[in-house]
Amino acid sequence: MKIIGLISLLPILNFCDGRKNVLFLVADDMRPELGCYYGDDFPSKIHPLMHTPNIDALARRSLLLKRAYVQQAVCSPSRTSLLTGRRPDTTHIYDLHSYFRDIGGNFTTIPQYFKMNGYTSVGMGKIFHQGHASNNDDPISWSMPYFHAPNQAYWINSNVSSWRAVSETEMKENPLPDKQITDRAMEVLKNVAPDAKSGKKPFFVAVGFHKPHLPFVFPDKMLQYYPKESIHLPDNEYAPVNMPEIAWRNCKGLLMKPDLQQKNVTMDMNVTFPSQVTLDLRRAYYSAISWIDSLIGRVLTELDDLGLSNNTIVSFFGDHGWQLGEHGAWCKMTNFELATHAPMMIHIPGMTEGGIVSEELTEFVDLFPTLAEAAELSPLQLCPITSSNISLCREGTSLMPLIKEPNTPLKRAAFSQYPRKVNDTIFNVMGYTMRTEKYRYTEWAKFSGAPAYGPDWNILFGVELYDHQTDPDENYNRAMDSSYATIRQSLSQQLRAGWRKAVLLRVPSESDILG
Ligand SMILES: *[C@@H]1O[C@H](CO)[C@@H](O)[C@H](O)[C@H]1NC(C)=O
Ligand SMILES: *[C@@H]1O[C@H](CO)[C@@H](O)[C@H](O)[C@H]1NC(C)=O
Ligand SMILES: *[C@@H]1O[C@H](CO)[C@@H](O)[C@H](O)[C@H]1NC(C)=O
Ligand SMILES: *[C@@H]1O[C@H](CO)[C@@H](O)[C@H](O)[C@H]1NC(C)=O
Ligand SMILES: *[C@@H]1O[C@H](CO)[C@@H](O)[C@H](O)[C@H]1NC(C)=O
Ligand SMILES: *[C@@H]1O[C@H](CO)[C@@H](O)[C@H](O)[C@H]1NC(C)=O
Ligand SMILES: *[C@@H]1O[C@H](CO)[C@@H](O)[C@H](O)[C@H]1NC(C)=O
């Protein structure tokens, strides 16, 4: 009897054994200003004292993608692209208002795919861009009601200065939103743990932190990690030499903060804040990162305490980079390395324990196929050129080969883009940019939206070529240098050929679609 019982249970046990949970952690506006990113390859200097012990520890047991690039350096377009596994010219999401299911297609998202595969899919905080841009957090993606921090409005109201260090007493009265999200995450993990451990139902839990997005609000004790004398100005507070004007973006959101309005700074090109303002903002940004690091530590400790760590995939990324006064620029919304380069790491139990560092070029659209493969769900097929009617497909590449061989190039270049409005109320110019091993190359081309959604390469508004071998900070645009003419020509061809031609690892059946 006993033996028969066991045998009949075995297939179920085996099935459940293979079902890994997913903890999906997201930070807002966090560039790779993290201890685990120290090294020669990061173009901008990382503050030497970054205090990020929890994210660093996660990196030490993860596949750490040191050169991962977002597809568009602003919240909703970047998140929509990652969550659907498709690029902005397919999602048609370039702004903070439009919803991809209305104008791109009825695409399956990462949490939705896990939900369809029998997972309990729970989201909280900022995963999709809130409001209209996601039809209020894309309800179809989740199997439980979505959670937002009750105190969010209190702390992001326009009356809050660009940064603020909050005292313990004040935090007790009005807990910071990210603390409320963390408490919720821990509660949710407790609730989903029994079913996950018994093998009844695995979970996909997505936790989206709001910081280090503006305003930089954090517990005052975080300042102790960043003594004032350790904070320095960037050494390139000027726009790149020969930069076309269209590459520039004035960060009006920062200027509108009440404390900075008083400074009477226009923030036009080569006009920057007084030094003390820049130093204070940098210190506050670093402190906000350490705040999020401490919260990520709490969530990961809870996962451990619940005995779930050894069967839970943990992914972490920041939705795009951020300019912290370099080039005299602030915020995101550009095609510079600082805005397009963002942190990404994936812990897969039993596969990444020793820590795997890859410096290969990777893209945020790669996360969807990677998580699907790591969790052993059906792999995603490569999207054909037009995929508006295809609910599930991918425009990225699974990063799993990097676990076995972190030095396998998967693509020749990483692609990003950023739109602009030139004398118009709609996006009519698109900056297409590409990071190769040695260069960043950008063409700002005339762009048509619906129904074509594409560039006219014959009408250019600016070209940029930065040589990362000699100029990792992107201070000199070489596009017009005669000594770079040949390189420019070949980079231009490569950019216009697009991401499909840059993919290196191809399974035979894909060659048709890649074209
Ligand atoms: C979108 O796709 C989902 C399944 O992925 C389906 O349930 C839903 O009805 C579709 N919505 C529309 C408007 O077609
Ligand atoms: C900001 O203003 C709102 C609305 O007037 C108020 O409720 C809130 O307490 C203020 N927040 C802070 C941090 O002062
Ligand atoms: C900004 O400063 C750089 C470096 O000094 C200079 O090359 C560039 O022409 C300036 N741009 C503008 C618009 O003033
Ligand atoms: C602010 O800037 C404007 C334009 O440059 C100038 O006219 C005005 O005097 C400045 N005000 C102060 C308080 O510096
Ligand atoms: C995972 O951890 C739990 C609790 O610590 C333990 O019972 C189980 O054997 C572990 N599983 C694996 C595959 O290591
Ligand atoms: C998508 O489906 C709709 C309705 O079936 C059809 O009218 C449209 O032509 C299709 N579009 C593409 C690009 O296949
Ligand atoms: C935009 O308008 C300005 C002012 O009318 C004009 O000088 C400029 O050439 C226009 N730019 C483009 C790209 O049409």
Side-chain angles (χ1 to χ4, degrees):
M1 274 297 282
K2 267 182 188 165
I3 291 170
I4 292 166
L6 253 182
I7 287 168
S8 65
L9 267 176
L10 273 177
I12 304 172
L13 285 174
N14 281 340
F15 176 67
C16 297
D17 252 3
R19 307 264 280 174
K20 294 193 183 81
N21 309 297
V22 181
L23 178 60
F24 186 86
L25 304 170
V26 185
D28 202 356
D29 284 12
M30 188 189 283
R31 74 186 204 175
E33 188 82 35
L34 300 163
C36 52
Y37 276 80
Y38 287 129
D40 296 337
D41 53 318
F42 189 66
S44 184
K45 289 98 197 153
I46 297 180
H47 184 270
L49 303 177
M50 281 316 294
H51 180 79
T52 52
N54 297 291
I55 298 175
D56 297 350
L58 177 63
R60 281 195 298 273
R61 52 190 181 93
S62 293
L63 170 63
L64 174 63
L65 302 156
K66 275 203 150 178
R67 293 205 288 168
Y69 291 87
V70 304
Q71 274 48 79
Q72 189 184 320
V74 73
C75 290
S76 191
S78 175
R79 288 166 187 252
T80 301
S81 168
L82 175 138
L83 287 160
T84 62
R86 309 184 203 215
R87 295 162 197 266
D89 281 350
T90 304
T91 64
H92 302 161
I93 300 306
Y94 309 106
D95 64 22
L96 302 181
H97 178 75
S98 311
Y99 177 40
F100 68 92
R101 294 192 200 270
D102 290 342
I103 62 166
N106 190 18
F107 304 143
T108 302
T109 69
I110 297 176
Q112 185 186 356
Y113 191 47
F114 279 87
K115 179 181 153 187
M116 284 161 56
N117 279 279
Y119 281 62
T120 302
S121 152
V122 200
M124 65 205 76
K126 186 167 171 185
I127 299 297
F128 291 90
H129 193 77
Q130 276 164 240
H132 188 274
S134 61
N135 183 27
N136 295 317
D137 309 299
D138 197 44
I140 193 176
S141 284
W142 314 104
S143 47
M144 307 236 291
Y146 203 85
F147 174 84
H148 282 297
N151 276 357
Q152 206 184 326
Y154 177 86
W155 286 111
I156 62 169
N157 206 286
S158 55
N159 53 354
V160 180
S161 297
S162 59
W163 68 276
R164 183 154 162 208
V166 180
S167 72
E168 200 89 26
T169 331
E170 214 176 346
M171 282 242 318
K172 283 214 176 84
E173 274 165 32
N174 277 297
L176 295 177
D178 286 322
K179 176 176 184 297
Q180 297 182 316
I181 291 166
T182 303
D183 291 344
R184 174 68 164 210
M186 291 162 71
E187 192 185 309
V188 164
L189 286 174
K190 276 195 190 84
N191 292 339
V192 296
D195 278 359
K197 291 178 81 174
S198 70
K200 200 167 150 204
K201 212 165 164 52
F203 63 77
F204 180 98
V205 171
V207 185
F209 300 99
H210 292 285
K211 299 293 132 183
H213 194 288
L214 283 168
F216 308 145
V217 181
F218 52 85
D220 56 8
K221 65 178 179 209
M222 296 297 154
L223 287 170
Q224 69 178 300
Y225 302 117
Y226 307 101
K228 277 191 173 166
E229 61 277 12
S230 75
I231 313 294
H232 297 287
L233 294 173
D235 54 19
N236 58 344
E237 289 191 286
Y238 52 86
V241 178
N242 295 326
M243 179 194 77
E245 204 174 321
I246 195 154
W248 181 258
R249 172 72 190 216
N250 187 329
C251 181
K252 294 200 181 73
L254 183 54
L255 273 186
M256 270 155 26
K257 298 291 169 205
D259 55 326
L260 298 183
Q261 255 169 8
Q262 297 161 11
K263 303 289 177 189
N264 202 16
V265 174
T266 62
M267 289 194 66
D268 290 338
M269 230 189 286
N270 288 354
V271 181
T272 193
F273 288 126
S275 297
Q276 196 54 53
V277 174
T278 298
L279 293 171
D280 289 347
L281 283 170
R282 299 188 117 202
R283 188 174 185 225
Y285 183 79
Y286 304 148
S287 302
I289 286 181
S290 290
W291 165 232
I292 296 308
D293 178 83
S294 72
L295 299 177
I296 286 177
R298 286 184 59 207
V299 176
L300 292 176
T301 301
E302 182 69 31
L303 194 73
D304 248 354
D305 292 350
L306 291 167
L308 289 166
S309 287
N310 62 6
N311 201 29
T312 302
I313 296 164
V314 182
S315 73
F316 168 71
F317 65 89
D319 63 351
H320 46 71
W322 224 78
Q323 289 131 173
L324 213 48
E326 297 92 349
H327 296 321
W330 292 89
C331 309
K332 49 247 180 176
M333 300 185 183
T334 71
N335 272 328
F336 292 120
E337 183 79 10
L338 283 162
T340 54
H341 183 208
M344 182 177 274
M345 61 193 73
I346 307 156
H347 165 74
I348 306 170
M351 299 189 84
T352 61
E353 302 310 334
I356 299 159
V357 177
S358 178
E359 307 219 347
E360 295 304 325
L361 296 168
T362 55
E363 300 173 288
F364 270 37
V365 281
D366 299 335
L367 187 60
F368 196 160
T370 306
L371 289 178
E373 192 178 339
E376 293 169 58
L377 308 186
S378 308
L380 278 69
Q381 297 301 306
L382 190 69
C383 296
I385 305 271
T386 303
S387 66
S388 55
N389 283 355
I390 298 174
S391 55
L392 184 70
C393 65
R394 61 177 170 87
E395 292 188 342
T397 307
S398 169
L399 302 175
M400 296 299 276
L402 295 179
I403 289 174
K404 280 205 193 87
E405 184 36 79
N407 304 319
T408 321
L410 296 180
K411 39 190 94 184
R412 287 190 192 92
F415 291 77
S416 311
Q417 61 192 96
Y418 210 93
R420 297 271 189 252
K421 297 166 183 172
V422 178
N423 293 349
D424 207 335
T425 53
I426 56 159
F427 291 127
N428 54 1
V429 177
M430 186 67 75
Y432 287 94
T433 191
M434 168 182 83
R435 180 60 215 269
T436 67
E437 191 57 36
K438 294 176 180 167
Y439 304 100
R440 169 164 300 287
Y441 182 73
T442 310
E443 291 189 5
W444 297 87
K446 185 173 162 50
F447 176 80
S448 338
Y453 292 102
D456 178 348
W457 297 116
N458 294 316
I459 306 176
L460 294 184
F461 292 77
V463 178
E464 294 165 89
L465 196 177
Y466 301 103
D467 185 344
H468 274 258
Q469 300 162 104
T470 54
D471 177 27
D473 292 343
E474 301 186 336
N475 290 332
Y476 299 90
N477 176 16
R478 306 290 186 185
M480 303 305 162
D481 285 15
S482 52
S483 57
Y484 282 81
T486 316
I487 289 162
R488 173 182 161 166
Q489 199 184 3
S490 88
L491 288 171
S492 177
Q493 272 170 12
Q494 195 183 344
L495 180 77
R496 294 175 185 200
W499 64 268
R500 284 175 196 270
K501 296 287 187 195
V503 177
L504 287 168
L505 275 192
R506 301 173 178 188
V507 296
S509 62
E510 281 172 2
S511 49
D512 297 342
I513 311 174
L514 283 158

